[in-house]
Amino acid sequence: MKGFLRTICTIAFFAAIIPCFLSAKEAILAGDAQGFAYNITVHYNDSPCPGDAVFVRMDFSQTMGQAERERIDLTAATATLELYLGEKRLDKAEFYLINNNKIIDFQNNMTGGNSEDLLAKETFLAGIPLSSWWTRNDGYSLKISYAMEDKKQFHFTLPFNLTNKDFVSETIPLDSRNTGIRTNTSATRMAQIEKLNKVLATTNYEHAFQTTPYTPPTPATRRTSFFADRRVFAYSDGTSATSLHYGIDYGVPTGSTVTACAKGRVVMAEDRISTGWSVVIEHLPGLYSLYYHMSELKVKEGDMVEAGDLIGLSGATGLATGPHLHWEMRLNMSAVNPDFFTGDFTFSAIK
């Protein structure tokens, strides 16, 4: 997995905002000492790979000295993250609150005040999936638009690049059974697909269950397929179809334990034609983990689980050429490399 580049953008917002991008790893916006009495610190990964995601953490803070002029309700801040290629907007996501620190925090050392002078800090998060089909291009940029409680809009841009990555191509021969599953157009299978898509399209901004690094759902290290493999399915009747692999396959024997990769809420636990016994867990607004082809489930819809909790046993149900566990992550409906989330993708270790 590619390591994170932790870019820090310290922003002191006043009347006249003057951008000065020092490098791809540090960006500072500053102005004169008149006007808005709060600070923003931004952390983000500025050079991910295609198929990863870009996550931006924004810390809004106010010192005691700033609050003497006007105490601001930092929780009232709203913000939007946008990804551009040149003038074309590729995607956008809303920021959501991931903590609520209304009490003075003596441990943080924020720009704009001493640690003992910090009155309040609120942390917001947003993430955008990056297509595995994209390639490096110097024209990418991130735009953040935000407003405080007075609703006045501000925006700034951040430098951003993609690092090229090669993906595996493979041909998978299917027997008559798996060919039948792959080409099944029955009302039952279509309804199952529609139900899953509806779940994955749901974004509840109050459901931020875990922002620390996630853990793979099995201790196994043997992978039989990788994220974003370019696939050709060779059907038993001599025809074929192309596909993209949305997750990671672990080659484990039937009955191996499968655990939740992070704290969350089980939003689906059922048998499906394509994926067999399957579990879907919600972790963050718009972020879900999926576990396919299991032989037995140990959770039900509505259960809350912690990282490492047993959720099922591996198997070969659904469209499977042998026993394995398929682990998948979806962000805003798009498949994202699961390995990305085993790093500190929210910059939780930064104080």
Side-chain angles (χ1 to χ4, degrees):
M1 175 186 175
K2 178 179 171 60
F4 280 96
L5 294 177
R6 292 182 173 177
T7 302
I8 301 176
C9 174
T10 305
I11 306 168
F13 279 92
F14 303 108
I17 299 176
I18 305 172
C20 177
F21 296 116
L22 303 183
S23 72
K25 294 185 179 181
E26 184 175 23
I28 297 177
L29 302 182
D32 61 40
Q34 305 295 322
F36 301 106
Y38 59 89
N39 303 308
I40 298 177
T41 301
V42 177
H43 305 270
Y44 73 110
N45 53 315
D46 68 349
S47 299
C49 292
D52 288 345
V54 54
F55 270 80
V56 178
R57 188 186 98 179
M58 286 206 300
D59 295 320
F60 288 81
S61 67
Q62 188 175 40
T63 65
M64 292 181 183
Q66 291 170 330
E68 289 179 357
R69 188 182 311 154
E70 180 185 2
R71 179 70 184 269
I72 299 174
D73 179 10
L74 300 178
T75 63
T78 59
T80 302
L81 173 66
E82 296 175 294
L83 173 63
Y84 280 85
L85 179 56
E87 299 297 319
K88 180 181 179 181
R89 189 179 72 184
L90 300 177
D91 206 346
K92 73 171 185 176
E94 301 300 318
F95 280 87
Y96 48 88
L97 190 67
I98 60 173
N99 75 323
N100 193 353
N101 300 316
K102 292 186 177 180
I103 301 175
I104 299 173
D105 185 347
F106 291 97
Q107 302 301 315
N108 289 287
N109 184 7
M110 304 290 293
T111 298
N114 297 323
S115 59
E116 65 270 13
D117 190 36
L118 184 64
L119 178 65
K121 184 184 78 170
E122 304 295 342
T123 301
F124 294 78
L125 186 70
I128 288 177
L130 305 173
S131 171
S132 65
W133 296 107
W134 293 345
T135 57
R136 178 178 175 83
N137 190 304
D138 292 334
Y140 290 107
S141 65
L142 295 171
K143 177 181 177 181
I144 295 178
S145 303
Y146 82 97
M148 302 303 287
E149 55 186 326
D150 63 1
K151 306 303 180 183
K152 186 176 181 180
Q153 290 287 324
F154 296 92
H155 66 85
F156 57 93
T157 59
L158 300 171
F160 180 78
N161 294 289
L162 282 181
T163 301
N164 283 333
K165 180 180 180 180
D166 294 324
F167 295 94
V168 174
S169 296
E170 61 178 349
T171 298
I172 301 177
L174 299 183
D175 59 19
S176 58
R177 171 187 170 276
N178 282 321
T179 294
I181 293 174
R182 184 72 172 73
T183 58
N184 186 326
T185 58
S186 67
T188 300
R189 182 167 180 257
M190 295 303 105
Q192 289 176 351
I193 293 172
E194 182 179 358
K195 179 180 179 180
L196 177 61
N197 286 338
K198 184 176 180 180
V199 168
L200 298 177
T202 301
T203 303
N204 190 322
Y205 290 106
E206 296 180 355
H207 289 183
F209 297 119
Q210 181 172 330
T211 57
T212 52
Y214 295 0
T215 305
T218 172
T221 58
R222 188 173 74 91
R223 299 183 176 189
T224 55
S225 290
F226 303 90
F227 172 75
D229 285 356
R230 278 60 168 147
R231 287 180 161 180
V232 175
F233 286 112
Y235 296 148
S236 59
D237 63 2
T239 61
S240 64
T242 58
S243 181
L244 191 71
H245 191 230
Y246 285 162
I248 296 170
D249 287 349
Y250 291 92
V252 292
T254 295
S256 301
T257 58
V258 178
T259 56
C261 67
K263 180 179 180 179
R265 182 174 64 96
V266 177
V267 293
M268 180 179 289
E270 63 186 41
D271 187 21
R272 306 177 70 245
I273 292 173
S274 296
T275 60
W277 288 104
S278 307
V279 170
V280 180
I281 303 175
E282 177 189 30
H283 302 290
L284 290 174
L287 180 64
Y288 297 85
S289 62
L290 302 86
Y291 313 78
Y292 289 165
H293 309 298
M294 290 188 281
S295 60
E296 185 177 345
L297 303 187
K298 299 294 186 180
V299 291
K300 63 183 183 303
E301 183 177 333
D303 286 351
M304 288 297 301
V305 294
E306 298 288 337
D309 282 355
L310 179 66
I311 62 172
L313 303 178
S314 64
T317 57
L319 200 167
T321 59
H324 72 285
L325 169 66
H326 173 96
W327 178 39
E328 188 174 317
M329 298 293 298
R330 295 285 192 103
L331 174 61
N332 302 337
M333 293 194 73
S334 295
V336 179
N337 185 2
D339 285 332
F340 174 84
F341 297 94
T342 63
D344 191 9
F345 68 98
T346 68
F347 312 99
S348 61
I350 298 176
K351 299 297 184 183

